[in-house]
Amino acid sequence: MAHFTKANSVGEWFDQRLATTKFMKVMMTEYWIPKDVNFLWAMGVVLAVTFKILIISGIFLMMYYKPDVNLAFDSVNYTIMQEVAYGWLFRHMHAVAASVVFLIIYIHMLTGIYYGSYKKGREMIWISGMLLFVTFSAAGFSGYMLPWGQMSYWAAMVITNLFGGVPLIGDALVVWIRGDFNVADATLTRFFMLHVFLLPIVIIGIIALHFYSLRVPHVNNQEGADIDFDAEAEKYLAGNKKDSKVIPFWPVFLSKDFAVLGVFLIFYFYLVFFHYGFAMDPINFDPADNMVTPPHIYPEWYFLWSYEVLRGFFFDIAGIKAFDLGLAAFGVANVIFFLLPFIDRDPEVLPAHRRPRFNIWFWILIVDLLVLTVYGKLPPTGVNAWVGFFASVTFLVLFIALPFVTKADAKARGAL
Amino acid sequence: MRELKVFAVVVIVTLITYWGVEPFAHSQMHPHVDAPDYSYSDVDGLKGIVGNAEAGAELVAANCTACHSIESQGFPKIMDNATAAASYGVVPPDLGSAGKLYDANYLAAFIKDPVTASKLAHVYTGEKAHPMPAYNWMSDEEIANIVAYLQSIAPAEMSNKEVFTNACSRCHGIKYADMMGGSMAAQTPKADIKAYMGKLPPDLSQYIKSRGENYLHEFINDPQKHLHGTAMPRVGLTKASEDQVVAYMTEVGDSKKAERNSTGLNVLAYLVIFAIFAWLWKAKIWREVH
């Protein structure tokens, strides 16, 4: 057993037992971040705060929500929205945060892609981040079912149906996921369990992994510069703060995060109070009715691009059914971002503006995602269907082209 | 400067996405319809005739009170709601407030020919008759007299709830208005109204949320514009009455609106102060490292 002397303060008492001073250094005051970063580097902290808002508002909602097909709609729209003191506030905060969190995730992801922050030792940061994207998507989808409105019901119907396309076991899989032949009470209660228990636990675990995966390769910077963190940290600690290329997480990096957070929270709470319709679809204020299909069924905005890839293939090609083609493309779309570190063949970490061909590739990707997102909501008829088809094909071609594009950049620079 | 440019790019891409999935997509999915016409210019109405209320009183007593109550004038209900619904298909309205709720021209046209005025020719094709017969055998003057009488007995002021109950509740429930007591269910029993309308008219508790104010005005004024072929009649509410109906639906369906708006301003004011202090602190800290 270690030798303990009498502590002179509460702080010291804890320090003896939990090494709090050392812990603060490792996690905060001597956790080094590059100085050459812009506000996009604050998105991690913005995401952490948004997730915290989701957890806290979700806990309050769970005190009154009833996961039963006969009670769910009124427990949300009457009990929580009208009877419980500030219940409406928690619901608005939860719904808007669930939507805005995806906006920030996309900004965070595209920042990583633009600055090449997914390779050369940073692969696990990227992969754990993509795992978070997938688990957040599952949480978003399962949560959307809970108010048991028309869109909850029909989105659940359409999405669970997709699993029917899995070869051999498809039909059985759909029944297994729903817990019934139809989307019904069993479906609601199991998605409730996923939404409030299993997925949050898994997400918290992956967040820990995501943070940890940053420790060894360190955070990237605006120019992709290779920084000797030990040497720069020594400079900083010696008092040469202006010359050092690094800053400590606390207080320097976080002070900037808080400033960005201040702006973000104004934006977020403006949406919560005055502009929440985009996150709470009007159609979902009609109670679920399995006899009436809404004229337009569409997912929330953050799923639209992949939904459009799914339905972009609207005609059979070479004897393969349109449904199967779409499902295969949808599968590729959801997996391909995981593979980004391995299909980028440029060995150097550089921002897109220093990789001319990749830069063009990046902006085409942005435009393509925009087109897919907008057309993912429109009725897939006439010219819309063809726009969706070509945008889906473009999406797939972009990723087939990526290894060649990145290799050409590296060759032109003389890096290969 | 570079940071501002990056910020501008993020904002622009976000706004394009928002524009595409919200205003643009909705404009594509919900075709534009003409603004509500509160003058009911298409109906065969009063034609400028000013009626005589006293003469109208006699006509109403002789022609209307066999089915309609006018409790304020001493004509009680003849049957309870369930029996009335079983007899007529739907509970007939009390006429005490009709002169206030409904546009005078529309009212005249409705008395003359309910099916045409309510735009339900596709429902009452001949096999099925409208529960109220057409009074097109009356002269225009007589109908003007009836309208004048109904206007003379109508109350000057009605609460939002009274307007809603009189204009909508015979077919529609709005259960959130009295979740525990259930007093705001539709007056016509469910089975009767379902048989009468072809399907159960929806509960309107959340319609202010699911349809929004604009749509509700366009729809109530002329249901066929948004939902071609619907069995819901055009009821001919005046603009003032329709405003009261929508106000009531807001009171019930969005009861925390006022609290939301005032809390919102306070929270935003607090956050602006927080953001200012956060930026000042950031500037102070970063002065040491730049």
Side-chain angles (χ1 to χ4, degrees), chain A residues 35 38-39 74 78 82 88 222-223 241-242 252 255-256 259 269 273 275-276 282 285-286 370 377, chain B residues 2-3 17-18 21 175-176 206 210-211 252-253 255-256 259-260 264 271 279 286-287 289-290:
Chain A
K35 194 190 284 176
N38 60 40
F39 79 95
D74 288 342
Y78 181 72
Q82 321 229 24
W88 60 269
Q222 284 197 88
E223 292 302 324
K241 294 183 180 179
K242 287 192 199 295
V252 183
S255 74
K256 182 157 180 159
F269 276 105
F273 290 106
H275 206 95
Y276 44 82
F285 286 93
D286 278 346
L370 275 176
K377 192 152 183 176
Chain B
R2 182 156 141 200
E3 197 150 0
T17 311
Y18 172 77
V21 300
K175 65 176 180 176
Y176 286 6
Q206 287 293 282
S210 64
R211 302 303 188 277
V252 172
S255 60
K256 303 290 181 174
E259 185 178 70
R260 190 171 67 232
L271 285 169
W279 277 99
W286 278 70
R287 223 170 285 134
V289 299
H290 262 316

Side-chain angles (χ1 to χ4, degrees), chain A residues 107-124:
Chain A
I107 294 173
H108 197 53
M109 270 174 74
L110 291 166
T111 302
I113 296 177
Y114 185 90
Y115 290 99
S117 311
Y118 47 81
K119 53 183 177 174
K120 232 184 159 185
R122 296 200 177 92
E123 290 85 352
M124 280 311 296

Side-chain angles (χ1 to χ4, degrees), chain A residues 198-362:
Chain A
L198 189 56
L199 287 167
I201 294 272
V202 171
I203 286 173
I204 290 168
I206 303 176
I207 288 176
L209 171 66
H210 192 56
F211 285 178
Y212 176 64
S213 68
L214 281 161
R215 298 301 299 218
V216 178
H218 283 283
V219 174
N220 193 11
N221 55 73
Q222 284 197 88
E223 292 302 324
D226 215 348
I227 296 171
D228 181 345
F229 278 84
D230 292 333
E232 297 298 328
E234 226 167 277
K235 250 194 238 172
Y236 189 94
L237 288 173
N240 204 353
K241 294 183 180 179
K242 287 192 199 295
D243 263 358
S244 175
K245 285 181 185 158
V246 298
I247 48 171
F249 187 65
W250 173 266
V252 183
F253 184 73
L254 272 184
S255 74
K256 182 157 180 159
D257 282 0
F258 286 166
V260 175
L261 198 60
V263 176
F264 168 75
L265 288 177
I266 292 172
F267 164 70
Y268 164 69
F269 276 105
Y270 164 73
L271 298 177
V272 165
F273 290 106
F274 301 110
H275 206 95
Y276 44 82
F278 76 100
M280 298 162 83
D281 199 284
I283 294 170
N284 223 23
F285 286 93
D286 278 346
D289 184 347
N290 58 7
M291 305 298 282
V292 181
T293 318
H296 304 284
I297 302 177
Y298 43 81
E300 287 291 87
W301 72 269
Y302 40 86
F303 292 139
L304 287 171
W305 68 269
S306 56
Y307 183 63
E308 186 63 3
V309 171
L310 171 76
R311 62 178 198 175
F313 296 87
F314 63 95
F315 50 89
D316 302 356
I317 299 173
I320 308 171
K321 278 204 203 107
F323 176 77
D324 295 330
L325 277 173
L327 203 62
F330 178 70
V332 170
N334 281 293
V335 172
I336 197 72
F337 280 104
F338 276 95
L339 301 179
L340 199 58
F342 312 104
I343 53 179
D344 181 339
R345 304 307 298 166
D346 190 332
E348 284 182 295
V349 176
L350 284 173
H353 58 259
R354 293 181 57 192
R355 303 161 74 186
R357 292 162 192 82
F358 178 75
N359 202 16
I360 295 168
W361 182 91
F362 178 83

